[in-house]
Amino acid sequence: GQNIDQPTEMTATEGAIVQINCTYQTSGFNGLFWYQQHAGEAPTFLSYNVLDGLEEKGRFSSFLSRSKGYSYLLLKELQMKDSASYLCAPVDSNYQLIWGAGTKLIIKP
Amino acid sequence: GAVVSQHPSWVICKSGTSVKIECRSLDFQATTMFWYRQFPKQSLMLMATSNEGSKATYEQGVEKDKFLINHASLTLSTLTVTSAHPEDSSFYICSASLGEWDNQPQHFGDGTRLSIL
């Protein structure tokens, strides 16, 4: 079956760094998306990885290891507005995104 | 770029009413649009995938006669919840992509919060 495993909730301090891990099992693999979703709002696109390695985009970086079925999202210089859910969504062989429940990130002052 | 507009944002109506939700890609042509439903604290659930000019592909368990999808142009898809009941109350979100068989990200509308009394 298809499965995504992310921590349900994480807490971090403003200004710090946090890493949100995601392990996945899918039927085939065509890359992995990370989305941010604030409470009561629709998701917004953060990153896409299809090759192994680290992709950096400002304060956010995303890493992928296809052989391990593993990805992480790294958030630096945390701001209060980063409090949101972060969704890891791998793409299967049919180019369908597989959605998990995401990780709720709480930022404290 | 890649802005998706969804309307209305909120709907409150009586049981038995049909509700239409519009999803527009404002600055690009969307070959494929997706309709999702999300219950509180749960993951996004894909309801259907629609391609312009063809019938939508519904996910297992989604009633196509209850959730009517029309993708009449490359910039507009509509979802009609027919004869809505309280159990249909949810957060409905559309997304649009440049293609279905490539890895373009899906860009989401702001969602429609539907409450059936």
Side-chain angles (χ1 to χ4, degrees):
Chain A
Q2 315 218 81
N3 186 57
I4 298 169
D5 192 19
Q6 290 180 247
T8 304
E9 188 173 298
M10 298 180 71
T11 303
T13 305
E14 191 176 14
I17 299 174
V18 72
Q19 178 174 311
I20 302 174
N21 295 322
C22 170
T23 57
Y24 60 87
Q25 293 173 314
T26 55
S27 312
F29 181 76
N30 282 296
L32 184 144
F33 288 93
W34 281 95
Y35 281 84
Q36 179 191 60
Q37 186 176 24
H38 284 100
E41 298 182 11
T44 55
F45 168 72
L46 289 178
S47 67
Y48 172 70
N49 294 65
V50 67
L51 299 176
D52 290 350
L54 187 68
E55 296 268 350
E56 297 187 67
K57 196 187 284 188
R59 292 190 299 115
F60 293 6
S61 302
S62 55
F63 172 85
L64 176 68
S65 169
R66 289 171 296 172
S67 62
K68 294 181 180 178
Y70 168 68
S71 175
Y72 68 72
L73 182 70
L74 190 72
L75 292 76
K76 302 177 186 176
E77 300 169 19
L78 286 170
Q79 301 175 10
M80 297 303 292
K81 67 179 183 180
D82 297 330
S83 292
S85 287
Y86 291 86
L87 313 178
C88 162
V91 184
D92 70 9
S93 57
N94 292 321
Y95 288 90
Q96 288 230 6
L97 271 68
I98 310 302
W99 298 93
T103 298
K104 183 179 179 181
L105 177 64
I106 299 168
I107 310 297
K108 295 186 174 178
Chain B
V3 177
V4 176
S5 172
Q6 188 173 339
H7 178 80
S9 301
W10 289 83
V11 180
I12 301 173
C13 57
K14 294 180 180 179
S15 186
T17 307
S18 290
V19 177
K20 183 187 239 183
I21 303 169
E22 289 189 351
C23 181
R24 294 179 185 271
S25 56
L26 296 186
D27 53 357
F28 68 104
Q29 293 187 322
T31 307
T32 306
M33 287 186 170
F34 304 86
W35 287 96
Y36 292 88
R37 182 164 59 177
Q38 187 176 35
F39 294 103
K41 298 185 179 181
Q42 295 189 20
S43 62
L44 290 166
M45 291 171 45
L46 180 65
M47 298 175 68
T49 303
S50 74
N51 291 295
E52 183 265 339
S54 61
K55 288 184 179 179
T57 302
Y58 289 82
E59 295 299 302
Q60 195 171 12
V62 178
E63 299 173 61
K64 61 180 180 182
D65 294 331
K66 178 160 184 73
F67 299 99
L68 302 177
I69 292 171
N70 184 285
H71 194 158
S73 76
L74 283 171
T75 59
L76 174 64
S77 177
T78 61
L79 167 68
T80 302
V81 183
T82 60
S83 187
H85 292 286
E87 59 266 27
D88 298 322
S89 298
S90 186
F91 189 42
Y92 291 85
I93 316 172
C94 74
S95 70
S97 172
L98 286 171
E100 183 180 7
W101 303 108
D102 58 30
N103 294 320
Q104 295 290 328
Q106 293 181 27
H107 300 281
F108 287 84
D110 288 337
T112 297
R113 198 160 299 283
L114 177 61
S115 296
I116 308 297
L117 305 177

